[in-house]
Amino acid sequence: MVKELKGHTHPVRSVAFSPDGKQVVSGSHDKTVFIWDALTGDLVKDLKGHTGSVLSVAFSPDGKQVVSGSFDKTVCIWDALTGDL
């Protein structure tokens, strides 16, 4: 194992690397999306907005946005730098 990323309070459902490999995004049953520094394992952004479990996450091809799909029947598109919806 290279790095263990801890912070979610419920099971993690989906993870993905950014296109440049420098970040990891994770989505969890705790209704949050986290963006992590892949090298240090530090939490970079804690994205909150879903009211149900996050089922899927992905970076856009240019790495500037993160998309998340939730059990709450919504898809959110986040700015990966600021965390804004």
Side-chain angles (χ1 to χ4, degrees), residues 8 12-18 24-36 47 50 53-60 65-70 74-76 78:
H8 285 292
V12 174
R13 177 69 186 226
S14 181
V15 296
F17 274 98
S18 62
V24 173
V25 62
S26 59
S28 169
H29 285 287
D30 63 10
K31 307 174 190 173
T32 62
V33 175
F34 286 175
I35 300 176
W36 309 85
L47 309 177
H50 285 294
S53 296
V54 177
L55 305 177
S56 63
V57 294
F59 274 96
S60 61
Q65 296 175 309
V66 168
V67 63
S68 56
S70 172
T74 64
V75 173
C76 292
W78 313 84

mmCIF file of all heavy atoms in Angstrom, residues 8 12-18 24-36 47 50 53-60 65-70 74-76 78:
data_model
loop_
_atom_site.group_PDB
_atom_site.id
_atom_site.type_symbol
_atom_site.label_atom_id
_atom_site.label_comp_id
_atom_site.label_asym_id
_atom_site.label_seq_id
_atom_site.Cartn_x
_atom_site.Cartn_y
_atom_site.Cartn_z
ATOM 1 N N HIS A 8 -13.634 10.020 5.374
ATOM 2 C CA HIS A 8 -15.060 9.742 5.234
ATOM 3 C C HIS A 8 -15.568 9.015 6.482
ATOM 4 O O HIS A 8 -14.838 8.246 7.098
ATOM 5 C CB HIS A 8 -15.317 8.878 3.998
ATOM 6 C CG HIS A 8 -15.217 9.623 2.713
ATOM 7 N ND1 HIS A 8 -16.109 10.600 2.327
ATOM 8 C CD2 HIS A 8 -14.312 9.524 1.701
ATOM 9 C CE1 HIS A 8 -15.768 11.059 1.146
ATOM 10 N NE2 HIS A 8 -14.670 10.435 0.738
ATOM 11 N N VAL A 12 -16.926 4.265 1.352
ATOM 12 C CA VAL A 12 -16.610 4.979 0.112
ATOM 13 C C VAL A 12 -17.149 4.165 -1.059
ATOM 14 O O VAL A 12 -16.922 2.966 -1.151
ATOM 15 C CB VAL A 12 -15.088 5.182 -0.015
ATOM 16 C CG1 VAL A 12 -14.734 5.795 -1.363
ATOM 17 C CG2 VAL A 12 -14.576 6.049 1.125
ATOM 18 N N ARG A 13 -17.852 4.829 -1.949
ATOM 19 C CA ARG A 13 -18.520 4.155 -3.064
ATOM 20 C C ARG A 13 -17.754 4.285 -4.386
ATOM 21 O O ARG A 13 -17.795 3.401 -5.226
ATOM 22 C CB ARG A 13 -19.926 4.748 -3.196
ATOM 23 C CG ARG A 13 -20.760 4.254 -4.316
ATOM 24 C CD ARG A 13 -21.169 2.825 -4.117
ATOM 25 N NE ARG A 13 -21.850 2.351 -5.304
ATOM 26 C CZ ARG A 13 -22.967 1.676 -5.291
ATOM 27 N NH1 ARG A 13 -23.532 1.370 -4.144
ATOM 28 N NH2 ARG A 13 -23.521 1.286 -6.396
ATOM 29 N N SER A 14 -17.035 5.416 -4.561
ATOM 30 C CA SER A 14 -16.400 5.657 -5.847
ATOM 31 C C SER A 14 -15.141 6.493 -5.664
ATOM 32 O O SER A 14 -15.112 7.392 -4.806
ATOM 33 C CB SER A 14 -17.387 6.395 -6.765
ATOM 34 O OG SER A 14 -16.843 6.630 -8.036
ATOM 35 N N VAL A 15 -14.098 6.195 -6.451
ATOM 36 C CA VAL A 15 -12.854 6.971 -6.427
ATOM 37 C C VAL A 15 -12.320 7.117 -7.853
ATOM 38 O O VAL A 15 -12.600 6.273 -8.709
ATOM 39 C CB VAL A 15 -11.762 6.334 -5.537
ATOM 40 C CG1 VAL A 15 -12.190 6.301 -4.092
ATOM 41 C CG2 VAL A 15 -11.406 4.956 -6.021
ATOM 42 N N ALA A 16 -11.541 8.185 -8.090
ATOM 43 C CA ALA A 16 -10.930 8.388 -9.402
ATOM 44 C C ALA A 16 -9.725 9.307 -9.261
ATOM 45 O O ALA A 16 -9.714 10.203 -8.404
ATOM 46 C CB ALA A 16 -11.934 9.002 -10.371
ATOM 47 N N PHE A 17 -8.716 9.074 -10.104
ATOM 48 C CA PHE A 17 -7.564 9.970 -10.182
ATOM 49 C C PHE A 17 -7.871 11.114 -11.139
ATOM 50 O O PHE A 17 -8.597 10.941 -12.123
ATOM 51 C CB PHE A 17 -6.336 9.226 -10.715
ATOM 52 C CG PHE A 17 -5.535 8.517 -9.670
ATOM 53 C CD1 PHE A 17 -5.708 7.169 -9.453
ATOM 54 C CD2 PHE A 17 -4.602 9.204 -8.902
ATOM 55 C CE1 PHE A 17 -4.964 6.493 -8.494
ATOM 56 C CE2 PHE A 17 -3.859 8.545 -7.943
ATOM 57 C CZ PHE A 17 -4.030 7.194 -7.730
ATOM 58 N N SER A 18 -7.283 12.274 -10.865
ATOM 59 C CA SER A 18 -7.337 13.388 -11.807
ATOM 60 C C SER A 18 -6.512 13.012 -13.035
ATOM 61 O O SER A 18 -5.646 12.128 -12.965
ATOM 62 C CB SER A 18 -6.793 14.663 -11.159
ATOM 63 O OG SER A 18 -5.437 14.493 -10.792
ATOM 64 N N VAL A 24 -6.913 12.841 -6.125
ATOM 65 C CA VAL A 24 -7.876 11.743 -6.103
ATOM 66 C C VAL A 24 -9.197 12.316 -5.621
ATOM 67 O O VAL A 24 -9.218 13.125 -4.683
ATOM 68 C CB VAL A 24 -7.410 10.614 -5.148
ATOM 69 C CG1 VAL A 24 -8.491 9.556 -4.986
ATOM 70 C CG2 VAL A 24 -6.108 10.000 -5.630
ATOM 71 N N VAL A 25 -10.292 11.927 -6.249
ATOM 72 C CA VAL A 25 -11.621 12.318 -5.774
ATOM 73 C C VAL A 25 -12.313 11.059 -5.255
ATOM 74 O O VAL A 25 -12.147 9.971 -5.804
ATOM 75 C CB VAL A 25 -12.448 13.005 -6.888
ATOM 76 C CG1 VAL A 25 -12.705 12.081 -8.057
ATOM 77 C CG2 VAL A 25 -13.756 13.548 -6.337
ATOM 78 N N SER A 26 -13.055 11.211 -4.154
ATOM 79 C CA SER A 26 -13.790 10.087 -3.577
ATOM 80 C C SER A 26 -15.205 10.523 -3.219
ATOM 81 O O SER A 26 -15.431 11.665 -2.816
ATOM 82 C CB SER A 26 -13.068 9.554 -2.326
ATOM 83 O OG SER A 26 -12.923 10.558 -1.349
ATOM 84 N N GLY A 27 -16.136 9.604 -3.382
ATOM 85 C CA GLY A 27 -17.526 9.840 -3.020
ATOM 86 C C GLY A 27 -17.975 8.772 -2.053
ATOM 87 O O GLY A 27 -17.593 7.603 -2.182
ATOM 88 N N SER A 28 -18.811 9.164 -1.086
ATOM 89 C CA SER A 28 -19.121 8.263 0.017
ATOM 90 C C SER A 28 -20.604 8.242 0.361
ATOM 91 O O SER A 28 -21.365 9.156 0.011
ATOM 92 C CB SER A 28 -18.307 8.718 1.243
ATOM 93 O OG SER A 28 -18.723 8.071 2.413
ATOM 94 N N HIS A 29 -20.965 7.216 1.109
ATOM 95 C CA HIS A 29 -22.319 7.132 1.664
ATOM 96 C C HIS A 29 -22.551 8.205 2.732
ATOM 97 O O HIS A 29 -23.684 8.389 3.174
ATOM 98 C CB HIS A 29 -22.571 5.735 2.251
ATOM 99 C CG HIS A 29 -22.796 4.693 1.206
ATOM 100 N ND1 HIS A 29 -23.951 4.608 0.464
ATOM 101 C CD2 HIS A 29 -22.002 3.688 0.761
ATOM 102 C CE1 HIS A 29 -23.871 3.604 -0.380
ATOM 103 N NE2 HIS A 29 -22.687 3.026 -0.226
ATOM 104 N N ASP A 30 -21.493 8.931 3.144
ATOM 105 C CA ASP A 30 -21.684 10.033 4.101
ATOM 106 C C ASP A 30 -22.143 11.319 3.416
ATOM 107 O O ASP A 30 -22.180 12.373 4.024
ATOM 108 C CB ASP A 30 -20.422 10.273 4.937
ATOM 109 C CG ASP A 30 -19.210 10.718 4.137
ATOM 110 O OD1 ASP A 30 -19.348 11.038 2.937
ATOM 111 O OD2 ASP A 30 -18.104 10.729 4.720
ATOM 112 N N LYS A 31 -22.472 11.228 2.102
ATOM 113 C CA LYS A 31 -23.037 12.325 1.302
ATOM 114 C C LYS A 31 -22.003 13.368 0.893
ATOM 115 O O LYS A 31 -22.360 14.456 0.464
ATOM 116 C CB LYS A 31 -24.210 13.005 2.036
ATOM 117 C CG LYS A 31 -25.291 12.057 2.500
ATOM 118 C CD LYS A 31 -26.338 12.768 3.336
ATOM 119 C CE LYS A 31 -27.266 11.770 3.985
ATOM 120 N NZ LYS A 31 -28.185 12.395 4.917
ATOM 121 N N THR A 32 -20.724 13.059 1.040
ATOM 122 C CA THR A 32 -19.677 14.027 0.718
ATOM 123 C C THR A 32 -18.810 13.547 -0.440
ATOM 124 O O THR A 32 -18.709 12.361 -0.721
ATOM 125 C CB THR A 32 -18.760 14.303 1.920
ATOM 126 O OG1 THR A 32 -18.107 13.094 2.294
ATOM 127 C CG2 THR A 32 -19.544 14.858 3.098
ATOM 128 N N VAL A 33 -18.177 14.538 -1.079
ATOM 129 C CA VAL A 33 -17.165 14.314 -2.101
ATOM 130 C C VAL A 33 -15.888 14.955 -1.584
ATOM 131 O O VAL A 33 -15.893 16.125 -1.197
ATOM 132 C CB VAL A 33 -17.589 14.958 -3.444
ATOM 133 C CG1 VAL A 33 -16.482 14.826 -4.478
ATOM 134 C CG2 VAL A 33 -18.891 14.355 -3.952
ATOM 135 N N PHE A 34 -14.815 14.191 -1.541
ATOM 136 C CA PHE A 34 -13.524 14.710 -1.074
ATOM 137 C C PHE A 34 -12.545 14.727 -2.242
ATOM 138 O O PHE A 34 -12.513 13.793 -3.052
ATOM 139 C CB PHE A 34 -12.925 13.821 0.022
ATOM 140 C CG PHE A 34 -13.581 13.916 1.370
ATOM 141 C CD1 PHE A 34 -13.160 13.075 2.386
ATOM 142 C CD2 PHE A 34 -14.596 14.806 1.655
ATOM 143 C CE1 PHE A 34 -13.738 13.133 3.653
ATOM 144 C CE2 PHE A 34 -15.183 14.881 2.910
ATOM 145 C CZ PHE A 34 -14.742 14.035 3.918
ATOM 146 N N ILE A 35 -11.739 15.786 -2.291
ATOM 147 C CA ILE A 35 -10.614 15.845 -3.210
ATOM 148 C C ILE A 35 -9.349 15.786 -2.369
ATOM 149 O O ILE A 35 -9.184 16.558 -1.422
ATOM 150 C CB ILE A 35 -10.643 17.119 -4.079
ATOM 151 C CG1 ILE A 35 -11.928 17.172 -4.910
ATOM 152 C CG2 ILE A 35 -9.409 17.173 -4.984
ATOM 153 C CD1 ILE A 35 -12.094 18.437 -5.735
ATOM 154 N N TRP A 36 -8.462 14.864 -2.708
ATOM 155 C CA TRP A 36 -7.248 14.587 -1.952
ATOM 156 C C TRP A 36 -6.009 14.899 -2.782
ATOM 157 O O TRP A 36 -6.036 14.761 -4.005
ATOM 158 C CB TRP A 36 -7.174 13.109 -1.590
ATOM 159 C CG TRP A 36 -8.378 12.518 -0.949
ATOM 160 C CD1 TRP A 36 -9.477 12.014 -1.574
ATOM 161 C CD2 TRP A 36 -8.602 12.353 0.454
ATOM 162 N NE1 TRP A 36 -10.372 11.528 -0.642
ATOM 163 C CE2 TRP A 36 -9.856 11.728 0.612
ATOM 164 C CE3 TRP A 36 -7.851 12.656 1.583
ATOM 165 C CZ2 TRP A 36 -10.388 11.405 1.849
ATOM 166 C CZ3 TRP A 36 -8.382 12.334 2.826
ATOM 167 C CH2 TRP A 36 -9.633 11.721 2.957
ATOM 168 N N LEU A 47 -16.418 18.621 -0.350
ATOM 169 C CA LEU A 47 -17.536 19.155 -1.116
ATOM 170 C C LEU A 47 -18.854 18.617 -0.569
ATOM 171 O O LEU A 47 -19.085 17.410 -0.568
ATOM 172 C CB LEU A 47 -17.382 18.776 -2.593
ATOM 173 C CG LEU A 47 -16.018 19.100 -3.215
ATOM 174 C CD1 LEU A 47 -15.963 18.610 -4.649
ATOM 175 C CD2 LEU A 47 -15.709 20.576 -3.129
ATOM 176 N N HIS A 50 -24.838 17.197 -1.589
ATOM 177 C CA HIS A 50 -25.770 16.092 -1.799
ATOM 178 C C HIS A 50 -26.531 15.779 -0.516
ATOM 179 O O HIS A 50 -26.010 15.950 0.587
ATOM 180 C CB HIS A 50 -25.009 14.837 -2.251
ATOM 181 C CG HIS A 50 -24.545 14.891 -3.673
ATOM 182 N ND1 HIS A 50 -25.417 14.910 -4.742
ATOM 183 C CD2 HIS A 50 -23.297 14.926 -4.210
ATOM 184 C CE1 HIS A 50 -24.729 14.955 -5.864
ATOM 185 N NE2 HIS A 50 -23.439 14.976 -5.571
ATOM 186 N N SER A 53 -26.482 9.441 -0.460
ATOM 187 C CA SER A 53 -25.181 8.820 -0.689
ATOM 188 C C SER A 53 -24.635 9.184 -2.059
ATOM 189 O O SER A 53 -25.377 9.231 -3.046
ATOM 190 C CB SER A 53 -25.302 7.298 -0.608
ATOM 191 O OG SER A 53 -25.681 6.893 0.680
ATOM 192 N N VAL A 54 -23.331 9.447 -2.136
ATOM 193 C CA VAL A 54 -22.674 9.719 -3.409
ATOM 194 C C VAL A 54 -22.277 8.375 -4.016
ATOM 195 O O VAL A 54 -21.562 7.591 -3.408
ATOM 196 C CB VAL A 54 -21.452 10.636 -3.217
ATOM 197 C CG1 VAL A 54 -20.741 10.856 -4.545
ATOM 198 C CG2 VAL A 54 -21.871 11.968 -2.610
ATOM 199 N N LEU A 55 -22.782 8.110 -5.221
ATOM 200 C CA LEU A 55 -22.602 6.812 -5.860
ATOM 201 C C LEU A 55 -21.480 6.792 -6.888
ATOM 202 O O LEU A 55 -20.912 5.741 -7.164
ATOM 203 C CB LEU A 55 -23.914 6.382 -6.517
ATOM 204 C CG LEU A 55 -25.142 6.359 -5.597
ATOM 205 C CD1 LEU A 55 -26.383 5.995 -6.385
ATOM 206 C CD2 LEU A 55 -24.924 5.387 -4.454
ATOM 207 N N SER A 56 -21.168 7.946 -7.479
ATOM 208 C CA SER A 56 -20.114 7.977 -8.489
ATOM 209 C C SER A 56 -19.450 9.348 -8.533
ATOM 210 O O SER A 56 -20.087 10.364 -8.253
ATOM 211 C CB SER A 56 -20.674 7.620 -9.874
ATOM 212 O OG SER A 56 -21.633 8.579 -10.268
ATOM 213 N N VAL A 57 -18.166 9.342 -8.873
ATOM 214 C CA VAL A 57 -17.390 10.578 -9.014
ATOM 215 C C VAL A 57 -16.430 10.435 -10.190
ATOM 216 O O VAL A 57 -16.014 9.326 -10.536
ATOM 217 C CB VAL A 57 -16.578 10.925 -7.739
ATOM 218 C CG1 VAL A 57 -17.488 11.266 -6.579
ATOM 219 C CG2 VAL A 57 -15.631 9.801 -7.367
ATOM 220 N N ALA A 58 -16.079 11.570 -10.796
ATOM 221 C CA ALA A 58 -15.098 11.577 -11.881
ATOM 222 C C ALA A 58 -14.567 12.989 -12.067
ATOM 223 O O ALA A 58 -15.250 13.972 -11.750
ATOM 224 C CB ALA A 58 -15.723 11.087 -13.179
ATOM 225 N N PHE A 59 -13.346 13.081 -12.565
ATOM 226 C CA PHE A 59 -12.787 14.359 -13.000
ATOM 227 C C PHE A 59 -13.137 14.578 -14.472
ATOM 228 O O PHE A 59 -13.234 13.612 -15.247
ATOM 229 C CB PHE A 59 -11.255 14.348 -12.875
ATOM 230 C CG PHE A 59 -10.736 14.724 -11.516
ATOM 231 C CD1 PHE A 59 -10.415 13.740 -10.596
ATOM 232 C CD2 PHE A 59 -10.540 16.047 -11.159
ATOM 233 C CE1 PHE A 59 -9.913 14.064 -9.348
ATOM 234 C CE2 PHE A 59 -10.046 16.386 -9.914
ATOM 235 C CZ PHE A 59 -9.731 15.396 -9.000
ATOM 236 N N SER A 60 -13.263 15.834 -14.869
ATOM 237 C CA SER A 60 -13.374 16.159 -16.289
ATOM 238 C C SER A 60 -12.024 15.876 -16.952
ATOM 239 O O SER A 60 -10.995 15.804 -16.267
ATOM 240 C CB SER A 60 -13.764 17.628 -16.466
ATOM 241 O OG SER A 60 -12.775 18.480 -15.902
ATOM 242 N N GLN A 65 -12.862 20.239 -13.360
ATOM 243 C CA GLN A 65 -14.156 20.004 -12.717
ATOM 244 C C GLN A 65 -14.244 18.571 -12.213
ATOM 245 O O GLN A 65 -13.553 17.677 -12.701
ATOM 246 C CB GLN A 65 -15.297 20.269 -13.698
ATOM 247 C CG GLN A 65 -15.385 21.721 -14.146
ATOM 248 C CD GLN A 65 -16.442 21.918 -15.209
ATOM 249 O OE1 GLN A 65 -16.470 21.207 -16.197
ATOM 250 N NE2 GLN A 65 -17.313 22.881 -14.985
ATOM 251 N N VAL A 66 -15.121 18.405 -11.225
ATOM 252 C CA VAL A 66 -15.454 17.083 -10.692
ATOM 253 C C VAL A 66 -16.958 16.927 -10.829
ATOM 254 O O VAL A 66 -17.715 17.858 -10.546
ATOM 255 C CB VAL A 66 -15.029 16.965 -9.207
ATOM 256 C CG1 VAL A 66 -15.623 15.731 -8.566
ATOM 257 C CG2 VAL A 66 -13.520 16.956 -9.083
ATOM 258 N N VAL A 67 -17.390 15.757 -11.246
ATOM 259 C CA VAL A 67 -18.817 15.473 -11.330
ATOM 260 C C VAL A 67 -19.138 14.359 -10.343
ATOM 261 O O VAL A 67 -18.329 13.449 -10.137
ATOM 262 C CB VAL A 67 -19.224 15.100 -12.780
ATOM 263 C CG1 VAL A 67 -18.550 13.830 -13.232
ATOM 264 C CG2 VAL A 67 -20.728 14.983 -12.911
ATOM 265 N N SER A 68 -20.296 14.478 -9.707
ATOM 266 C CA SER A 68 -20.722 13.455 -8.746
ATOM 267 C C SER A 68 -22.195 13.139 -8.961
ATOM 268 O O SER A 68 -22.997 14.017 -9.254
ATOM 269 C CB SER A 68 -20.487 13.930 -7.303
ATOM 270 O OG SER A 68 -21.145 15.156 -7.057
ATOM 271 N N GLY A 69 -22.512 11.856 -8.817
ATOM 272 C CA GLY A 69 -23.893 11.408 -8.917
ATOM 273 C C GLY A 69 -24.318 10.821 -7.587
ATOM 274 O O GLY A 69 -23.533 10.147 -6.914
ATOM 275 N N SER A 70 -25.555 11.091 -7.205
ATOM 276 C CA SER A 70 -26.000 10.732 -5.864
ATOM 277 C C SER A 70 -27.327 9.984 -5.864
ATOM 278 O O SER A 70 -28.134 10.104 -6.788
ATOM 279 C CB SER A 70 -26.136 12.006 -5.020
ATOM 280 O OG SER A 70 -26.742 11.748 -3.776
ATOM 281 N N THR A 74 -29.519 13.572 -7.995
ATOM 282 C CA THR A 74 -28.890 14.746 -8.587
ATOM 283 C C THR A 74 -27.487 14.411 -9.087
ATOM 284 O O THR A 74 -26.834 13.484 -8.597
ATOM 285 C CB THR A 74 -28.774 15.917 -7.593
ATOM 286 O OG1 THR A 74 -27.901 15.543 -6.520
ATOM 287 C CG2 THR A 74 -30.134 16.316 -7.040
ATOM 288 N N VAL A 75 -27.064 15.193 -10.052
ATOM 289 C CA VAL A 75 -25.688 15.190 -10.525
ATOM 290 C C VAL A 75 -25.150 16.589 -10.269
ATOM 291 O O VAL A 75 -25.783 17.578 -10.648
ATOM 292 C CB VAL A 75 -25.617 14.859 -12.034
ATOM 293 C CG1 VAL A 75 -24.200 15.017 -12.553
ATOM 294 C CG2 VAL A 75 -26.140 13.456 -12.299
ATOM 295 N N CYS A 76 -24.016 16.671 -9.594
ATOM 296 C CA CYS A 76 -23.400 17.968 -9.305
ATOM 297 C C CYS A 76 -22.096 18.097 -10.078
ATOM 298 O O CYS A 76 -21.324 17.132 -10.174
ATOM 299 C CB CYS A 76 -23.109 18.117 -7.811
ATOM 300 S SG CYS A 76 -24.568 18.236 -6.779
ATOM 301 N N TRP A 78 -18.738 20.296 -9.918
ATOM 302 C CA TRP A 78 -17.987 21.141 -8.984
ATOM 303 C C TRP A 78 -16.758 21.720 -9.666
ATOM 304 O O TRP A 78 -16.134 21.055 -10.495
ATOM 305 C CB TRP A 78 -17.514 20.316 -7.800
ATOM 306 C CG TRP A 78 -18.506 19.430 -7.145
ATOM 307 C CD1 TRP A 78 -18.860 18.159 -7.524
ATOM 308 C CD2 TRP A 78 -19.294 19.705 -5.989
ATOM 309 N NE1 TRP A 78 -19.792 17.638 -6.672
ATOM 310 C CE2 TRP A 78 -20.092 18.577 -5.712
ATOM 311 C CE3 TRP A 78 -19.396 20.815 -5.147
ATOM 312 C CZ2 TRP A 78 -20.969 18.508 -4.646
ATOM 313 C CZ3 TRP A 78 -20.275 20.752 -4.071
ATOM 314 C CH2 TRP A 78 -21.053 19.620 -3.841
#
